[in-house]
Amino acid sequence: MKIRTLIFLGLLLITSGCKQKQDLPAVPMVVDSLKATFSELKQAAMEHNEERFFALLDPTEAADLQILARQHGYVSISSYIRQHYHNWPDLDTLNYRELKASGDYIRLSLSGPGTNLGRQQSQVRHTFLLFRNHPGGWTLAGMSNLETPDRDRYGNEITVHETDLPPNLRFPRCF
């Protein structure tokens, strides 16, 4: 727990000054810590351990998730979680792309093979995990994936830009 706090303080020093967004050095311990948090969250969802699941989920996201489950007619949050979160990615099969931070948030970007579905061009699936730091550690604040072609028609690698991401994964703006 102390190591995680020290790492986060180091990241805060790097990102202080409220700059828009920054590339951080690939800190293996931070990446491993975020992956472990996500794996723990996924395991809690699969084991129907609601208490542990919500402890690892950002409080704002947890409240929104409970409202969303009720709106869709689910009697228990466990059934909603089981229905919607059983296809979460296995992070061990994905490649590290980048780590970016802004304020209390840090976003981990990973990539892996996408679905081709008869296309001649290979696809890449980009997975984005947004975490928020709380006194108890990192909590998942957002998750999404995006598929893009591997290369454009000229053979250049296609990259994902901040504006390509869903709004809930973009960093909070500094004013």
Side-chain angles (χ1 to χ4, degrees), residues 121 149-158:
Q121 194 173 21
D150 184 25
R151 308 222 171 248
D152 65 13
R153 62 180 166 177
Y154 303 108
N156 301 315
E157 182 180 356
I158 295 178

Side-chain angles (χ1 to χ4, degrees), residues 82-99:
R82 183 175 52 246
Q83 180 70 28
H84 292 280
Y85 293 97
H86 69 279
N87 286 327
W88 280 10
D90 181 7
L91 300 187
D92 293 334
T93 64
L94 301 176
N95 300 317
Y96 168 81
R97 296 291 281 204
E98 66 183 350
L99 189 65

Side-chain angles (χ1 to χ4, degrees), residues 10-101:
L11 290 174
L12 279 179
L13 288 174
I14 292 170
T15 61
S16 64
C18 204
K19 296 177 183 168
Q20 285 293 55
K21 61 184 181 196
Q22 300 178 11
D23 288 324
L24 297 175
V27 182
M29 287 176 45
V30 174
V31 172
D32 289 344
S33 175
L34 297 175
K35 283 182 170 184
T37 299
F38 181 80
S39 295
E40 219 177 309
L41 186 74
K42 183 178 178 181
Q43 183 178 0
M46 296 302 100
E47 293 174 353
H48 313 294
N49 186 344
E50 289 181 34
E51 185 177 322
R52 184 69 185 141
F53 179 83
F54 284 115
L56 295 166
L57 197 60
D58 185 60
T60 305
E61 289 298 313
D64 290 347
L65 181 62
Q66 290 176 340
I67 291 168
L68 190 63
R70 281 193 293 271
Q71 285 177 344
H72 285 91
Y74 288 90
V75 176
S76 75
I77 195 71
S78 291
S79 58
Y80 183 84
I81 292 168
R82 183 175 52 246
Q83 180 70 28
H84 292 280
Y85 293 97
H86 69 279
N87 286 327
W88 280 10
D90 181 7
L91 300 187
D92 293 334
T93 64
L94 301 176
N95 300 317
Y96 168 81
R97 296 291 281 204
E98 66 183 350
L99 189 65
K100 291 189 176 188

